[in-house]
Every structure is written in C-alpha cells, then in structure tokens.
mmCIF file of all heavy atoms in Angstrom:
data_model
loop_
_atom_site.group_PDB
_atom_site.id
_atom_site.type_symbol
_atom_site.label_atom_id
_atom_site.label_comp_id
_atom_site.label_asym_id
_atom_site.label_seq_id
_atom_site.Cartn_x
_atom_site.Cartn_y
_atom_site.Cartn_z
ATOM 1 N N LEU A 26 0.816 -1.202 0.000
ATOM 2 C CA LEU A 26 0.000 0.000 0.000
ATOM 3 C C LEU A 26 0.855 1.261 0.000
ATOM 4 O O LEU A 26 0.388 2.326 -0.300
ATOM 5 C CB LEU A 26 -0.921 0.005 1.215
ATOM 6 C CG LEU A 26 -1.945 -1.128 1.253
ATOM 7 C CD1 LEU A 26 -2.745 -1.067 2.534
ATOM 8 C CD2 LEU A 26 -2.862 -1.050 0.056
ATOM 9 N N GLY A 27 2.104 1.141 0.359
ATOM 10 C CA GLY A 27 3.008 2.284 0.387
ATOM 11 C C GLY A 27 4.405 1.824 0.054
ATOM 12 O O GLY A 27 4.650 0.658 -0.239
ATOM 13 N N GLU A 28 5.327 2.760 0.096
ATOM 14 C CA GLU A 28 6.705 2.423 -0.201
ATOM 15 C C GLU A 28 7.293 1.588 0.924
ATOM 16 O O GLU A 28 6.988 1.784 2.102
ATOM 17 C CB GLU A 28 7.540 3.697 -0.346
ATOM 18 C CG GLU A 28 7.205 4.494 -1.561
ATOM 19 C CD GLU A 28 8.107 5.719 -1.685
ATOM 20 O OE1 GLU A 28 8.705 6.109 -0.679
ATOM 21 O OE2 GLU A 28 8.205 6.243 -2.788
ATOM 22 N N ALA A 29 8.136 0.658 0.542
ATOM 23 C CA ALA A 29 8.822 -0.156 1.529
ATOM 24 C C ALA A 29 9.894 0.682 2.206
ATOM 25 O O ALA A 29 10.501 1.554 1.599
ATOM 26 C CB ALA A 29 9.454 -1.375 0.863
ATOM 27 N N ASP A 30 10.096 0.439 3.491
ATOM 28 C CA ASP A 30 11.126 1.167 4.228
ATOM 29 C C ASP A 30 12.501 0.662 3.836
ATOM 30 O O ASP A 30 12.758 -0.531 3.822
ATOM 31 C CB ASP A 30 10.934 1.006 5.728
ATOM 32 C CG ASP A 30 9.705 1.733 6.240
ATOM 33 O OD1 ASP A 30 9.303 2.719 5.618
ATOM 34 O OD2 ASP A 30 9.173 1.310 7.272
ATOM 35 N N ASP A 31 13.358 1.571 3.512
ATOM 36 C CA ASP A 31 14.738 1.254 3.184
ATOM 37 C C ASP A 31 15.576 1.489 4.432
ATOM 38 O O ASP A 31 15.651 2.610 4.928
ATOM 39 C CB ASP A 31 15.217 2.147 2.036
ATOM 40 C CG ASP A 31 16.641 1.879 1.625
ATOM 41 O OD1 ASP A 31 17.288 0.975 2.189
ATOM 42 O OD2 ASP A 31 17.111 2.589 0.726
ATOM 43 N N PRO A 32 16.221 0.449 4.980
ATOM 44 C CA PRO A 32 16.982 0.643 6.212
ATOM 45 C C PRO A 32 18.145 1.609 6.051
ATOM 46 O O PRO A 32 18.639 2.148 7.023
ATOM 47 C CB PRO A 32 17.478 -0.765 6.565
ATOM 48 C CG PRO A 32 17.354 -1.554 5.320
ATOM 49 C CD PRO A 32 16.282 -0.919 4.504
ATOM 50 N N LEU A 33 18.585 1.845 4.828
ATOM 51 C CA LEU A 33 19.680 2.781 4.607
ATOM 52 C C LEU A 33 19.184 4.205 4.396
ATOM 53 O O LEU A 33 19.969 5.134 4.294
ATOM 54 C CB LEU A 33 20.506 2.339 3.388
ATOM 55 C CG LEU A 33 21.148 0.958 3.513
ATOM 56 C CD1 LEU A 33 21.852 0.595 2.232
ATOM 57 C CD2 LEU A 33 22.099 0.919 4.684
ATOM 58 N N ASN A 34 17.871 4.374 4.320
ATOM 59 C CA ASN A 34 17.287 5.689 4.064
ATOM 60 C C ASN A 34 17.248 6.498 5.351
ATOM 61 O O ASN A 34 16.661 6.080 6.336
ATOM 62 C CB ASN A 34 15.881 5.495 3.501
ATOM 63 C CG ASN A 34 15.308 6.770 2.963
ATOM 64 O OD1 ASN A 34 15.839 7.841 3.190
ATOM 65 N ND2 ASN A 34 14.218 6.647 2.251
ATOM 66 N N GLN A 35 17.834 7.656 5.334
ATOM 67 C CA GLN A 35 17.913 8.495 6.518
ATOM 68 C C GLN A 35 16.756 9.490 6.617
ATOM 69 O O GLN A 35 16.677 10.233 7.587
ATOM 70 C CB GLN A 35 19.243 9.261 6.517
ATOM 71 C CG GLN A 35 20.458 8.371 6.505
ATOM 72 C CD GLN A 35 20.534 7.455 7.710
ATOM 73 O OE1 GLN A 35 20.237 7.863 8.822
ATOM 74 N NE2 GLN A 35 20.920 6.212 7.497
ATOM 75 N N ASP A 36 15.858 9.504 5.620
ATOM 76 C CA ASP A 36 14.776 10.490 5.619
ATOM 77 C C ASP A 36 13.876 10.353 6.838
ATOM 78 O O ASP A 36 13.462 11.351 7.417
ATOM 79 C CB ASP A 36 13.934 10.355 4.360
ATOM 80 C CG ASP A 36 14.676 10.833 3.127
ATOM 81 O OD1 ASP A 36 15.751 11.441 3.260
ATOM 82 O OD2 ASP A 36 14.164 10.591 2.025
ATOM 83 N N LYS A 37 13.584 9.132 7.239
ATOM 84 C CA LYS A 37 12.692 8.922 8.377
ATOM 85 C C LYS A 37 13.316 9.483 9.644
ATOM 86 O O LYS A 37 12.648 10.147 10.426
ATOM 87 C CB LYS A 37 12.401 7.426 8.529
ATOM 88 C CG LYS A 37 11.438 7.122 9.644
ATOM 89 C CD LYS A 37 11.143 5.642 9.733
ATOM 90 C CE LYS A 37 10.208 5.351 10.881
ATOM 91 N NZ LYS A 37 9.997 3.938 11.079
ATOM 92 N N ASP A 38 14.613 9.222 9.843
ATOM 93 C CA ASP A 38 15.298 9.750 11.021
ATOM 94 C C ASP A 38 15.304 11.266 11.016
ATOM 95 O O ASP A 38 15.120 11.905 12.049
ATOM 96 C CB ASP A 38 16.735 9.228 11.094
ATOM 97 C CG ASP A 38 16.789 7.733 11.353
ATOM 98 O OD1 ASP A 38 15.829 7.189 11.916
ATOM 99 O OD2 ASP A 38 17.806 7.117 11.002
ATOM 100 N N LEU A 39 15.512 11.865 9.859
ATOM 101 C CA LEU A 39 15.533 13.316 9.742
ATOM 102 C C LEU A 39 14.169 13.895 10.094
ATOM 103 O O LEU A 39 14.073 14.868 10.837
ATOM 104 C CB LEU A 39 15.927 13.723 8.321
ATOM 105 C CG LEU A 39 16.078 15.207 8.057
ATOM 106 C CD1 LEU A 39 17.245 15.766 8.853
ATOM 107 C CD2 LEU A 39 16.291 15.457 6.584
ATOM 108 N N ARG A 40 13.098 13.277 9.576
ATOM 109 C CA ARG A 40 11.747 13.763 9.860
ATOM 110 C C ARG A 40 11.423 13.611 11.344
ATOM 111 O O ARG A 40 10.866 14.522 11.954
ATOM 112 C CB ARG A 40 10.721 13.015 9.020
ATOM 113 C CG ARG A 40 9.315 13.579 9.149
ATOM 114 C CD ARG A 40 8.295 12.773 8.364
ATOM 115 N NE ARG A 40 8.504 12.791 6.948
ATOM 116 C CZ ARG A 40 7.928 13.658 6.118
ATOM 117 N NH1 ARG A 40 7.127 14.581 6.586
ATOM 118 N NH2 ARG A 40 8.154 13.598 4.837
ATOM 119 N N GLU A 41 11.778 12.480 11.952
ATOM 120 C CA GLU A 41 11.481 12.269 13.363
ATOM 121 C C GLU A 41 12.288 13.189 14.265
ATOM 122 O O GLU A 41 11.794 13.681 15.267
ATOM 123 C CB GLU A 41 11.750 10.813 13.742
ATOM 124 C CG GLU A 41 10.745 9.848 13.187
ATOM 125 C CD GLU A 41 11.077 8.394 13.496
ATOM 126 O OE1 GLU A 41 12.133 8.114 14.089
ATOM 127 O OE2 GLU A 41 10.256 7.551 13.125
ATOM 128 N N LYS A 42 13.524 13.447 13.895
ATOM 129 C CA LYS A 42 14.409 14.256 14.737
ATOM 130 C C LYS A 42 14.062 15.737 14.681
ATOM 131 O O LYS A 42 14.074 16.412 15.694
ATOM 132 C CB LYS A 42 15.864 14.050 14.308
ATOM 133 C CG LYS A 42 16.860 14.768 15.178
ATOM 134 C CD LYS A 42 18.275 14.449 14.750
ATOM 135 C CE LYS A 42 19.277 15.212 15.594
ATOM 136 N NZ LYS A 42 20.636 14.991 15.142
ATOM 137 N N HIS A 43 13.725 16.249 13.482
ATOM 138 C CA HIS A 43 13.564 17.688 13.331
ATOM 139 C C HIS A 43 12.177 18.136 12.922
ATOM 140 O O HIS A 43 11.930 19.335 12.848
ATOM 141 C CB HIS A 43 14.576 18.219 12.314
ATOM 142 C CG HIS A 43 15.982 17.985 12.728
ATOM 143 N ND1 HIS A 43 16.566 18.658 13.776
ATOM 144 C CD2 HIS A 43 16.922 17.142 12.265
ATOM 145 C CE1 HIS A 43 17.804 18.257 13.924
ATOM 146 N NE2 HIS A 43 18.040 17.326 13.031
ATOM 147 N N GLY A 44 11.295 17.233 12.572
ATOM 148 C CA GLY A 44 9.940 17.626 12.218
ATOM 149 C C GLY A 44 9.730 17.768 10.724
ATOM 150 O O GLY A 44 10.659 17.726 9.925
ATOM 151 N N ASP A 45 8.471 17.960 10.376
ATOM 152 C CA ASP A 45 8.069 18.015 8.970
ATOM 153 C C ASP A 45 8.632 19.227 8.239
ATOM 154 O O ASP A 45 9.009 19.136 7.081
ATOM 155 C CB ASP A 45 6.547 18.019 8.855
ATOM 156 C CG ASP A 45 5.954 16.684 9.264
ATOM 157 O OD1 ASP A 45 6.631 15.656 9.143
ATOM 158 O OD2 ASP A 45 4.791 16.691 9.699
ATOM 159 N N PHE A 46 8.694 20.378 8.907
ATOM 160 C CA PHE A 46 9.161 21.589 8.229
ATOM 161 C C PHE A 46 10.599 21.423 7.767
ATOM 162 O O PHE A 46 10.943 21.743 6.629
ATOM 163 C CB PHE A 46 9.045 22.795 9.162
ATOM 164 C CG PHE A 46 9.692 24.022 8.598
ATOM 165 C CD1 PHE A 46 9.074 24.750 7.603
ATOM 166 C CD2 PHE A 46 10.936 24.429 9.038
ATOM 167 C CE1 PHE A 46 9.673 25.864 7.067
ATOM 168 C CE2 PHE A 46 11.546 25.533 8.511
ATOM 169 C CZ PHE A 46 10.920 26.260 7.525
ATOM 170 N N VAL A 47 11.466 20.933 8.644
ATOM 171 C CA VAL A 47 12.877 20.754 8.299
ATOM 172 C C VAL A 47 13.011 19.750 7.160
ATOM 173 O O VAL A 47 13.715 19.994 6.180
ATOM 174 C CB VAL A 47 13.684 20.294 9.533
ATOM 175 C CG1 VAL A 47 15.101 19.941 9.166
ATOM 176 C CG2 VAL A 47 13.668 21.367 10.608
ATOM 177 N N TYR A 48 12.318 18.642 7.270
ATOM 178 C CA TYR A 48 12.387 17.601 6.246
ATOM 179 C C TYR A 48 11.911 18.134 4.894
ATOM 180 O O TYR A 48 12.581 17.970 3.874
ATOM 181 C CB TYR A 48 11.536 16.409 6.672
ATOM 182 C CG TYR A 48 11.472 15.331 5.633
ATOM 183 C CD1 TYR A 48 12.506 14.413 5.479
ATOM 184 C CD2 TYR A 48 10.384 15.231 4.780
ATOM 185 C CE1 TYR A 48 12.444 13.433 4.509
ATOM 186 C CE2 TYR A 48 10.314 14.252 3.812
ATOM 187 C CZ TYR A 48 11.348 13.359 3.688
ATOM 188 O OH TYR A 48 11.290 12.397 2.725
ATOM 189 N N ASP A 49 10.754 18.811 4.883
ATOM 190 C CA ASP A 49 10.207 19.332 3.623
ATOM 191 C C ASP A 49 11.122 20.388 3.005
ATOM 192 O O ASP A 49 11.299 20.434 1.788
ATOM 193 C CB ASP A 49 8.816 19.917 3.849
ATOM 194 C CG ASP A 49 7.787 18.857 4.201
ATOM 195 O OD1 ASP A 49 8.046 17.660 3.915
ATOM 196 O OD2 ASP A 49 6.741 19.205 4.768
ATOM 197 N N THR A 50 11.718 21.234 3.833
ATOM 198 C CA THR A 50 12.604 22.274 3.317
ATOM 199 C C THR A 50 13.839 21.672 2.681
ATOM 200 O O THR A 50 14.277 22.103 1.613
ATOM 201 C CB THR A 50 12.994 23.252 4.437
ATOM 202 O OG1 THR A 50 11.807 23.772 5.025
ATOM 203 C CG2 THR A 50 13.839 24.386 3.909
ATOM 204 N N ILE A 51 14.409 20.658 3.311
ATOM 205 C CA ILE A 51 15.585 19.993 2.743
ATOM 206 C C ILE A 51 15.221 19.327 1.424
ATOM 207 O O ILE A 51 15.949 19.440 0.437
ATOM 208 C CB ILE A 51 16.190 18.977 3.737
ATOM 209 C CG1 ILE A 51 16.855 19.718 4.892
ATOM 210 C CG2 ILE A 51 17.181 18.054 3.049
ATOM 211 C CD1 ILE A 51 17.326 18.825 6.002
ATOM 212 N N LYS A 52 14.097 18.651 1.374
ATOM 213 C CA LYS A 52 13.686 17.982 0.149
ATOM 214 C C LYS A 52 13.431 18.994 -0.979
ATOM 215 O O LYS A 52 13.799 18.756 -2.122
ATOM 216 C CB LYS A 52 12.433 17.126 0.380
ATOM 217 C CG LYS A 52 12.732 15.886 1.184
ATOM 218 C CD LYS A 52 13.759 15.056 0.456
ATOM 219 C CE LYS A 52 14.327 13.982 1.305
ATOM 220 N NZ LYS A 52 15.492 13.342 0.744
ATOM 221 N N LYS A 53 12.807 20.120 -0.653
ATOM 222 C CA LYS A 53 12.569 21.148 -1.667
ATOM 223 C C LYS A 53 13.885 21.714 -2.182
ATOM 224 O O LYS A 53 14.045 21.958 -3.372
ATOM 225 C CB LYS A 53 11.721 22.280 -1.101
ATOM 226 C CG LYS A 53 10.265 21.945 -0.980
ATOM 227 C CD LYS A 53 9.495 23.110 -0.381
ATOM 228 C CE LYS A 53 8.082 22.718 -0.047
ATOM 229 N NZ LYS A 53 7.368 23.787 0.647
ATOM 230 N N SER A 54 14.832 21.939 -1.276
ATOM 231 C CA SER A 54 16.109 22.514 -1.710
ATOM 232 C C SER A 54 16.894 21.512 -2.554
ATOM 233 O O SER A 54 17.642 21.904 -3.437
ATOM 234 C CB SER A 54 16.932 22.966 -0.505
ATOM 235 O OG SER A 54 17.401 21.859 0.231
ATOM 236 N N GLN A 55 16.730 20.223 -2.305
ATOM 237 C CA GLN A 55 17.426 19.220 -3.104
ATOM 238 C C GLN A 55 16.808 19.082 -4.484
ATOM 239 O O GLN A 55 17.495 18.763 -5.441
ATOM 240 C CB GLN A 55 17.396 17.867 -2.391
ATOM 241 C CG GLN A 55 18.276 17.825 -1.166
ATOM 242 C CD GLN A 55 18.103 16.541 -0.372
ATOM 243 O OE1 GLN A 55 17.159 15.778 -0.579
ATOM 244 N NE2 GLN A 55 19.012 16.305 0.543
ATOM 245 N N LYS A 56 15.502 19.336 -4.603
ATOM 246 C CA LYS A 56 14.823 19.185 -5.888
ATOM 247 C C LYS A 56 15.007 20.392 -6.796
ATOM 248 O O LYS A 56 14.878 20.276 -7.998
ATOM 249 C CB LYS A 56 13.319 18.958 -5.666
ATOM 250 C CG LYS A 56 13.003 17.602 -5.115
ATOM 251 C CD LYS A 56 11.521 17.439 -4.910
ATOM 252 C CE LYS A 56 11.208 16.105 -4.269
ATOM 253 N NZ LYS A 56 9.794 15.944 -3.999
ATOM 254 N N SER A 57 15.274 21.552 -6.220
ATOM 255 C CA SER A 57 15.383 22.747 -7.061
ATOM 256 C C SER A 57 16.678 22.721 -7.851
ATOM 257 O O SER A 57 17.687 22.206 -7.411
ATOM 258 C CB SER A 57 15.312 24.005 -6.197
ATOM 259 O OG SER A 57 16.448 24.082 -5.375
ATOM 260 N N SER A 58 16.615 23.291 -9.022
ATOM 261 C CA SER A 58 17.802 23.316 -9.876
ATOM 262 C C SER A 58 18.719 24.451 -9.455
ATOM 263 O O SER A 58 18.273 25.436 -8.887
ATOM 264 C CB SER A 58 17.387 23.499 -11.336
ATOM 265 O OG SER A 58 16.927 24.812 -11.529
ATOM 266 N N PRO A 59 20.027 24.327 -9.725
ATOM 267 C CA PRO A 59 20.956 25.395 -9.367
ATOM 268 C C PRO A 59 20.605 26.718 -10.044
ATOM 269 O O PRO A 59 20.803 27.777 -9.476
ATOM 270 C CB PRO A 59 22.307 24.878 -9.860
ATOM 271 C CG PRO A 59 22.151 23.398 -9.977
ATOM 272 C CD PRO A 59 20.704 23.162 -10.271
ATOM 273 N N LEU A 60 20.057 26.666 -11.268
ATOM 274 C CA LEU A 60 19.714 27.899 -11.967
ATOM 275 C C LEU A 60 18.555 28.628 -11.302
ATOM 276 O O LEU A 60 18.518 29.856 -11.298
ATOM 277 C CB LEU A 60 19.375 27.606 -13.427
ATOM 278 C CG LEU A 60 20.541 27.151 -14.300
ATOM 279 C CD1 LEU A 60 20.057 26.835 -15.700
ATOM 280 C CD2 LEU A 60 21.625 28.218 -14.338
ATOM 281 N N SER A 61 17.629 27.875 -10.705
ATOM 282 C CA SER A 61 16.492 28.549 -10.072
ATOM 283 C C SER A 61 16.955 29.358 -8.870
ATOM 284 O O SER A 61 16.399 30.407 -8.572
ATOM 285 C CB SER A 61 15.423 27.538 -9.660
ATOM 286 O OG SER A 61 15.894 26.713 -8.614
ATOM 287 N N ASN A 62 17.970 28.892 -8.149
ATOM 288 C CA ASN A 62 18.493 29.658 -7.020
ATOM 289 C C ASN A 62 19.191 30.927 -7.484
ATOM 290 O O ASN A 62 19.127 31.952 -6.821
ATOM 291 C CB ASN A 62 19.467 28.809 -6.190
ATOM 292 C CG ASN A 62 18.756 27.777 -5.360
ATOM 293 O OD1 ASN A 62 17.558 27.886 -5.130
ATOM 294 N ND2 ASN A 62 19.472 26.778 -4.915
ATOM 295 N N ILE A 63 19.860 30.876 -8.615
ATOM 296 C CA ILE A 63 20.576 32.050 -9.111
ATOM 297 C C ILE A 63 19.591 33.107 -9.578
ATOM 298 O O ILE A 63 19.702 34.275 -9.236
ATOM 299 C CB ILE A 63 21.525 31.655 -10.275
ATOM 300 C CG1 ILE A 63 22.655 30.791 -9.732
ATOM 301 C CG2 ILE A 63 22.069 32.896 -10.965
ATOM 302 C CD1 ILE A 63 23.503 30.152 -10.812
ATOM 303 N N PHE A 64 18.588 32.693 -10.348
ATOM 304 C CA PHE A 64 17.684 33.659 -10.946
ATOM 305 C C PHE A 64 16.549 34.077 -10.021
ATOM 306 O O PHE A 64 16.133 35.216 -10.033
ATOM 307 C CB PHE A 64 17.108 33.112 -12.253
ATOM 308 C CG PHE A 64 18.160 32.954 -13.303
ATOM 309 C CD1 PHE A 64 18.491 31.702 -13.797
ATOM 310 C CD2 PHE A 64 18.848 34.051 -13.792
ATOM 311 C CE1 PHE A 64 19.471 31.557 -14.764
ATOM 312 C CE2 PHE A 64 19.834 33.913 -14.758
ATOM 313 C CZ PHE A 64 20.150 32.658 -15.242
ATOM 314 N N ALA A 65 16.052 33.164 -9.211
ATOM 315 C CA ALA A 65 14.901 33.494 -8.379
ATOM 316 C C ALA A 65 15.294 34.120 -7.062
ATOM 317 O O ALA A 65 14.481 34.741 -6.398
ATOM 318 C CB ALA A 65 14.067 32.236 -8.123
#
C-alpha cells in the first residue's frame, strides 16, 4: 500500500528528529535546480 522502508534511508530519522518543516525544506532545496536559485 506504500513504499517499503529502506533501512539505509535516513529520511525517516531526519523527519522524526527535526519535524516536517525541516524535512520538507531539505527535500525542496534538493529538488530545485541550481539555476532557479541564481535567478529566483
């Protein structure tokens, strides 16, 4: 019904340790392209 947990995946630990805002912000910054940071 959902994604299988990857024991090597650190995302769960990051979300539990710092909360949803920190996790979402890191994920958004990783998805954005380098050009969007320069121009936007």
Side-chain angles (χ1 to χ4, degrees):
L26 297 177
E28 291 182 341
D30 290 333
D31 180 2
L33 300 176
N34 191 348
Q35 301 300 319
D36 289 350
K37 183 178 178 185
D38 293 336
L39 184 66
R40 187 183 296 267
E41 288 176 356
K42 184 176 178 184
H43 299 290
D45 291 333
F46 172 76
V47 173
Y48 176 80
D49 292 341
T50 305
I51 289 173
K52 288 301 167 192
K53 283 179 189 174
S54 70
Q55 289 173 346
K56 288 180 184 177
S57 67
S58 71
L60 291 177
S61 68
N62 286 342
I63 292 170
F64 294 116

